[in-house]
Amino acid sequence: MWAWLSSRILRNRTGILVVLGLITLFLGYEMKNVKVSYKFGGLLPRSDSAYVHYDELHSKFSEDGNVIVLGVQDPRLYELEHFKAWWQLGHDLKAQEGVDSVFSEAHLYELVRDDSLKRFQLSSVVPHIPASQEEVDAIKAKVRDLPFYKDLLYNDSSGTSLMMVFVNPERFNSERRGDMVDLIAERVDSFAEDHFEVRRSGLPFIRTVVTERTKTELRMFVGLMMLTVAVLLLLFFKAWRVMLICLLVVVVGVIWAVGSIGLMGYRLTSVMAIIPPLVVVIGIPNCIFLINKYHYEFVKHGNRIKALSRVIYLVGKASFITNATTATGFATFVLTYSDVLKQFGVIASLNIMAVFVLSILLVPILFSYQGAPKDRHLAHLERKWVDRSTAKLIHIVQHRRPLVYAVTALLVVVGLLGVARLKNESRVVDDLPMHDPVMQDLRFFEKEFKGVMPLEVMVDTRKKGQALKESNLKLISRLQDTLALYPEISRSLSIADAVKFTKQSFYGGSPERYQLIRSSGPDQFIMPYVNNANGEGGLVRGFLDEDRRVTRITMQVADVGTARMDVLLSDLSARVDSLFDPEKFRVVLTGTSVVFLKGSKYMVKNLAISLILAVILISGMMALLFNSFRMVLISLIPNLVPLIMTAGLMGYLGVPIKPSTILVFSIAFGISVDDAIHYLAKYRQELKMSGHNIRASVIQAIHEAGVSMMYTSIVLFCGFSLFVFSDFGGTQALGLLVSFTLLVAMFTNLLILPSLLLSFEKMITTRAFEEPMLDIMDEDEDIELDDLRIEGGPPAERGTSQGKGSEEGSRSIGPSSETSADRK
């Protein structure tokens, strides 16, 4: 098939270029449909209990996590001019499109008793901008007499004051949000410039920062990848046209990748943003092997068209398999239950194969329009440092195998000890560096108000109208007293607080009256006011469902991470069960923080499963290639050792297991195993040519396949290392760890794999191995070019004066001597 395909590609150059151009234009147009995800989450399946509870919370109450918090810590706030500016800031923000309401000490409400309607009306404490310092002092005194707002809008001990900006969740989470957060930030910056520093946090603000940086980094990393590979290509080939052709391939690949995201209606997330740079760093090795093989073939016989045809035939088969194994590693994410991972797996696997198609089509076609390579274009085939490196590797494999095994065993033991120190820990905002202003402000709010991450307790009384029952209000109040004991949890609010506020207002605003209502005595006259309080604009409307059966306790929690959150939730669940009879109440802990952290744990579990599936599927593909279970086991050893070492390194460096870091193993394994495939394929070919001389075949395979493995490893190492420039710690760790893993994998595949083949030569190299079920390399079959004409060109050239020589005599040439069809 590949021989037929090679001739068809060169005969139909113009038609193929037109089709590729039309596809690129179409997917380039689809890029405009790529939407950015402004929400955390998407990690849990909809059937998960945590997601179901969270969805129930939204259906009965308003969405949590829609508050931008602004904080100031300056005693001058209560001076007239500054307080007036604070009031004006809140007034301006409330007028901003997309903002539902604003609360602060200058924008809060009290309850005004209306005896004619037997209800309370919400009335602004500061209805207009204050005109004197006395008025400001009176406002401050009045606020301090309202316990409902204590430790919610102000911290008396530190003098910190909050402004809560409630954004419209439906608008904020859609493309209609526009530059809403930027406009809020501009107004806040204007206030800070004239007065004092304003801290800012809250999920909407954090999500906006993460989203904008994700978009910025997508463009930055694609640009950096392009620049890096351009420099490497110039160093390898010293030819501008080679560099430009390779860059064209990956540029088109990036357009296809981003366009496919828009075409499928997926959203751009921090995980999805990895794909375009990934296309670049995986696509370039494809091009390198095609060009290396082209130059090597041309040196052998001087026939340009024959060389291009053999490139497609020989490299095409091997590259298809290696790209397929890499794509399989990503495709395993489709088998998880996480929408984020499924979408990532679909786009990544499809585009890895797409960039293979682009390279196998564009590189030969574009070179067919070029003249014959000149001597300076072929100079890269002989490099002294390459010869010295391969000679050293061969010496170690031949004479130092015990040392190789001893060092490997030592590294595995050290790695396993590091693995034992690994921690499964993730946070809502754990990918931003600690010195980042977002993290500093988050820690400020955690110190002053114990956090900004929403945590909810939903209490279902199982009977209509029972939420306002006195005994149930007492249980809720007791639970709140329990919640107050936890240093990670902020002051909570519930229907019990609303009822206390109502009683205080009924008795003229005395702080001593901030108590629960008793069903008997004078308090019985307050109940009609309470019953009317959940109408439009009522105080308790946000705490009760329509049937007054379900109520909520809302609070914030510090970003404590999955480990502490597990302990916290388990302890809270036990205390809830001791307070609320499960037969009479259904109480669930939910909220954005619970869903996100449980989703992170779920994602880590699914990624671990996907890695196991990737190992199984790739092993199955290798079994088809080599028709030997023993050979598959031997090839897995040098590719599992780097994973153990990387996991151990994470344990020693304190890098926790989380979604962004466990992704390392699936990516690295899918790429590194290609080295083993190429080496073993070349080894099997050499066995046939050498008359089953195992030792000579092992050495010759290092000579030829090893050079290409080193070249592509350099590209991959440099490409992934660029992620160190990310603002996100997880992305930095991903780049560094993948680079480390691939670098180690290069050495293990060049040292451990050949050593094992030599040490167990009789046991491993069976007749079945030499007769594979699927042959990806056959140097004996050539391509007849007598009748081959390429569109718009002359008949295929016969031997020219360029380096025509025998295959046997050309086998020791440098990097391109890899007749194995090379590596991806």
Side-chain angles (χ1 to χ4, degrees):
M1 183 192 80
W2 285 96
W4 174 86
L5 186 63
S6 65
S7 64
R8 291 300 180 274
I9 290 174
L10 293 176
R11 284 193 176 102
N12 300 282
R13 297 179 301 170
T14 303
I16 291 173
L17 291 178
V18 170
V19 172
L20 292 179
L22 291 175
I23 295 174
T24 304
L25 288 174
F26 171 70
L27 291 175
Y29 177 79
E30 288 295 325
M31 290 173 65
K32 71 178 183 61
N33 295 323
V34 176
K35 310 297 183 184
V36 179
S37 175
Y38 294 101
K39 296 186 70 174
F40 285 133
L43 308 180
L44 283 174
R46 296 182 180 275
S47 59
D48 188 88
S49 60
Y51 187 93
V52 171
H53 294 154
Y54 187 63
D55 192 52
E56 181 184 359
L57 176 75
H58 284 185
S59 66
K60 295 183 179 298
F61 308 101
S62 62
E63 181 174 344
D64 67 339
N66 61 335
V67 184
I68 297 176
V69 291
L70 309 174
V72 294
Q73 190 179 39
D74 197 304
R76 294 177 296 165
L77 175 66
Y78 304 103
E79 295 176 4
L80 178 61
E81 292 305 316
H82 297 298
F83 195 84
K84 287 168 63 176
W86 188 243
W87 185 94
Q88 189 63 50
L89 172 64
H91 180 78
D92 294 344
L93 293 181
K94 188 174 181 180
Q96 169 69 46
E97 190 173 5
V99 174
D100 287 343
S101 59
V102 171
F103 287 96
S104 76
E105 288 186 82
H107 313 85
L108 48 75
Y109 296 89
E110 61 180 335
L111 297 178
V112 178
R113 180 175 166 181
D114 186 343
D115 291 334
S116 62
L117 297 176
K118 291 192 178 297
R119 63 178 300 171
F120 287 100
Q121 301 288 346
L122 287 174
S123 176
S124 176
V125 174
V126 192
H128 55 78
I129 194 166
S132 65
Q133 183 63 48
E134 290 75 15
E135 192 173 349
V136 172
D137 294 340
I139 292 170
K140 181 180 179 181
K142 189 168 188 177
V143 171
R144 296 303 186 269
D145 284 340
L146 298 174
F148 185 83
Y149 297 110
K150 184 179 180 182
D151 295 326
L152 182 66
L153 292 178
Y154 63 89
N155 183 332
D156 233 354
S157 61
S158 65
T160 305
S161 185
L162 283 189
M163 181 180 290
M164 297 182 176
V165 182
F166 289 81
V167 298
N168 183 279
E170 183 179 350
R171 183 185 182 90
F172 182 83
N173 294 327
S174 71
E175 294 297 321
R176 295 187 297 113
R177 74 203 300 272
D179 57 353
M180 180 175 66
V181 175
D182 291 336
L183 292 175
I184 293 174
E186 288 178 10
R187 181 64 183 87
V188 172
D189 289 339
S190 175
F191 171 88
E193 185 177 346
D194 295 333
H195 299 278
F196 30 73
E197 181 184 13
V198 179
R199 305 275 192 164
R200 59 202 80 184
S201 193
L203 282 184
F205 175 75
I206 294 171
R207 280 151 46 186
T208 300
V209 171
V210 171
T211 300
E212 293 303 318
R213 291 189 187 179
T214 297
K215 293 192 292 185
T216 301
E217 289 198 351
L218 172 60
R219 295 187 289 267
M220 180 185 74
F221 283 126
V222 170
L224 283 175
M225 291 285 186
M226 295 291 187
L227 179 62
T228 301
V229 298
V231 172
L232 290 174
L233 289 169
L234 283 176
L235 290 175
F236 289 161
F237 298 103
K238 292 182 170 55
W240 286 94
R241 67 179 179 183
V242 170
M243 181 198 74
L244 293 175
I245 288 173
C246 293
L247 289 183
L248 176 64
V249 171
V250 293
V251 166
V252 174
V254 169
I255 293 173
W256 285 26
V258 180
S260 62
I261 295 174
L263 181 64
M264 294 189 176
Y266 298 156
R267 289 185 174 269
L268 186 66
T269 63
S270 57
V271 175
M272 198 73 80
I274 297 174
I275 292 178
L278 197 65
V279 167
V280 176
V281 82
I282 290 178
I284 287 296
N286 287 337
C287 298
I288 288 176
F289 279 103
L290 288 165
I291 296 168
N292 267 345
K293 186 63 177 176
Y294 167 53
H295 286 169
Y296 174 64
E297 287 291 329
F298 185 80
V299 166
K300 287 199 298 183
H301 48 69
N303 189 319
R304 184 168 59 92
I305 301 306
K306 179 180 179 180
L308 290 172
S309 298
R310 285 177 64 81
V311 162
I312 299 170
Y313 171 66
L314 295 173
V315 181
K317 290 193 294 184
S319 290
F320 174 79
I321 295 299
T322 52
N323 278 269
T325 57
T326 303
T328 299
F330 288 96
T332 55
F333 297 141
V334 178
L335 303 178
T336 67
Y337 294 98
S338 167
D339 289 341
V340 171
L341 290 180
K342 283 182 179 179
Q343 295 172 9
F344 175 75
V346 169
I347 297 297
S349 56
L350 288 178
N351 281 283
I352 286 170
M353 297 309 299
V355 78
F356 158 73
V357 172
L358 287 171
S359 60
I360 203 69
L361 293 177
L362 287 178
V363 171
I365 287 175
L366 293 177
F367 271 100
S368 72
Y369 285 106
Q370 307 292 324
K374 296 180 172 57
D375 289 341
R376 59 186 175 86
H377 298 144
L378 305 174
H380 70 92
L381 296 179
E382 296 188 29
R383 298 266 174 112
K384 292 183 179 180
W385 70 268
V386 172
D387 295 336
R388 288 195 299 268
S389 299
T390 51
K392 185 66 174 177
L393 290 171
I394 291 170
H395 175 76
I396 294 174
V397 169
Q398 284 185 306
H399 306 292
R400 295 288 187 268
R401 288 199 299 277
L403 178 63
V404 171
Y405 299 144
V407 172
T408 301
L410 177 62
L411 291 176
V412 169
V413 171
V414 172
L416 291 175
L417 291 175
V419 170
R421 303 176 63 174
L422 273 175
K423 295 181 180 179
N424 183 352
E425 181 77 67
S426 58
R427 300 171 186 268
V428 178
V429 198
D430 66 348
D431 276 347
L432 292 176
M434 289 303 298
H435 64 269
D436 190 279
V438 175
M439 291 298 293
Q440 291 181 348
D441 285 355
L442 177 62
R443 299 298 174 238
F444 169 81
F445 287 107
E446 289 180 346
K447 176 184 176 183
E448 298 297 325
F449 295 95
K450 301 184 180 180
V452 297
M453 302 301 166
L455 177 63
E456 302 274 348
V457 180
M458 191 164 55
V459 181
D460 183 357
T461 61
R462 300 186 187 275
K463 291 183 180 180
K464 186 175 180 179
Q466 292 296 300
L468 288 172
K469 188 177 179 182
E470 181 183 359
S471 58
N472 293 339
L473 291 175
K474 288 181 178 180
L475 286 175
I476 292 171
S477 185
R478 287 176 60 189
L479 177 57
Q480 288 183 266
D481 292 338
T482 300
L483 294 171
L485 300 176
Y486 292 90
E488 305 94 340
I489 298 178
S490 73
R491 152 81 190 284
S492 61
L493 277 181
S494 71
I495 184 62
D497 294 295
V499 170
K500 291 175 183 179
F501 195 9
T502 302
K503 181 175 179 178
Q504 178 188 3
S505 301
F506 185 86
Y507 287 108
S510 174
E512 289 77 16
R513 293 288 190 169
Y514 188 76
Q515 303 168 343
L516 287 175
I517 297 173
R518 298 177 182 176
S519 58
S520 59
D523 287 354
Q524 61 182 315
F525 299 105
I526 308 176
M527 288 309 298
Y529 293 86
V530 175
N531 291 330
N532 292 328
N534 67 333
E536 187 69 28
L539 179 65
V540 302
R541 189 168 181 265
F543 297 104
L544 291 176
D545 70 338
E546 293 182 355
D547 295 332
R548 300 186 182 185
R549 164 182 163 171
V550 181
T551 185
R552 71 193 295 190
I553 304 171
T554 183
M555 70 212 81
Q556 285 72 45
V557 64
D559 191 12
V560 295
T562 50
R564 175 56 185 160
M565 183 60 81
D566 277 342
V567 175
L568 188 63
L569 294 180
S570 297
D571 194 47
L572 280 177
S573 296
R575 291 176 181 266
V576 165
D577 291 340
S578 67
L579 284 173
F580 294 88
D581 185 350
E583 294 185 1
K584 296 181 180 179
F585 300 94
R586 182 175 68 93
V587 184
V588 296
L589 302 172
T590 183
T592 301
S593 56
V594 175
V595 171
F596 181 85
L597 293 171
K598 284 194 172 182
S600 295
K601 290 181 60 181
Y602 182 86
M603 190 173 180
V604 168
K605 177 182 176 182
N606 274 258
L607 284 169
I609 294 173
S610 70
L611 175 60
I612 296 172
L613 288 175
V615 172
I616 294 172
L617 292 176
I618 291 173
S619 299
M621 294 179 66
M622 293 175 69
L624 289 175
L625 291 176
F626 301 123
N627 201 23
S628 170
F629 180 72
R630 297 174 186 174
M631 196 62 74
V632 171
L633 289 179
I634 288 296
S635 63
L636 285 179
I637 291 173
N639 289 288
L640 292 178
V641 169
L643 300 185
I644 295 172
M645 292 179 62
T646 301
L649 181 65
M650 291 171 61
Y652 290 120
L653 295 180
V655 178
I657 287 290
K658 55 184 178 180
S660 56
T661 54
I662 199 171
L663 205 62
V664 168
F665 301 102
S666 296
I667 293 175
F669 181 77
I671 297 174
S672 67
V673 77
D674 296 346
D675 284 341
I677 292 175
H678 279 291
Y679 181 84
L680 291 175
K682 182 61 187 173
Y683 167 65
R684 183 172 60 197
Q685 181 195 13
E686 292 296 332
L687 279 176
K688 294 180 181 179
M689 298 177 65
S690 65
H692 202 75
N693 187 328
I694 293 176
R695 183 171 298 273
S697 299
V698 168
I699 301 307
Q700 189 60 33
I702 296 176
H703 262 303
E704 300 190 8
V707 175
S708 296
M709 290 160 64
M710 285 189 282
Y711 265 50
T712 52
S713 294
I714 292 172
V715 173
L716 292 167
F717 178 83
C718 294
F720 279 105
S721 294
L722 292 175
F723 285 121
V724 73
F725 296 107
S726 172
D727 282 338
F728 301 112
T731 307
Q732 292 175 355
L734 174 70
L736 291 175
L737 293 172
V738 170
S739 300
F740 173 79
T741 307
L742 294 179
L743 188 63
V744 173
M746 180 190 72
F747 286 106
T748 55
N749 279 300
L750 285 173
L751 290 173
I752 300 176
L753 183 56
S755 297
L756 290 172
L757 290 176
L758 289 177
S759 297
F760 303 96
E761 52 185 356
K762 300 299 183 184
M763 184 184 304
I764 297 173
T765 308
T766 62
R767 180 62 59 183
F769 171 71
E770 296 185 48
E771 298 175 358
M773 299 173 63
L774 180 61
D775 195 359
I776 66 171
M777 194 178 303
D778 186 1
E779 286 284 344
D780 296 330
E781 183 175 347
D782 210 339
I783 300 173
E784 293 298 330
L785 298 178
D786 292 334
D787 301 322
L788 176 61
R789 292 174 181 269
I790 60 176
E791 184 183 297
E797 304 101 317
R798 290 290 170 183
T800 69
S801 59
Q802 281 276 11
K804 188 175 180 180
S806 70
E807 269 194 41
E808 199 63 38
S810 300
R811 292 177 65 187
S812 61
I813 290 178
S816 293
S817 62
E818 186 177 353
T819 58
S820 67
D822 322 88
R823 180 178 172 279
K824 184 178 67 126

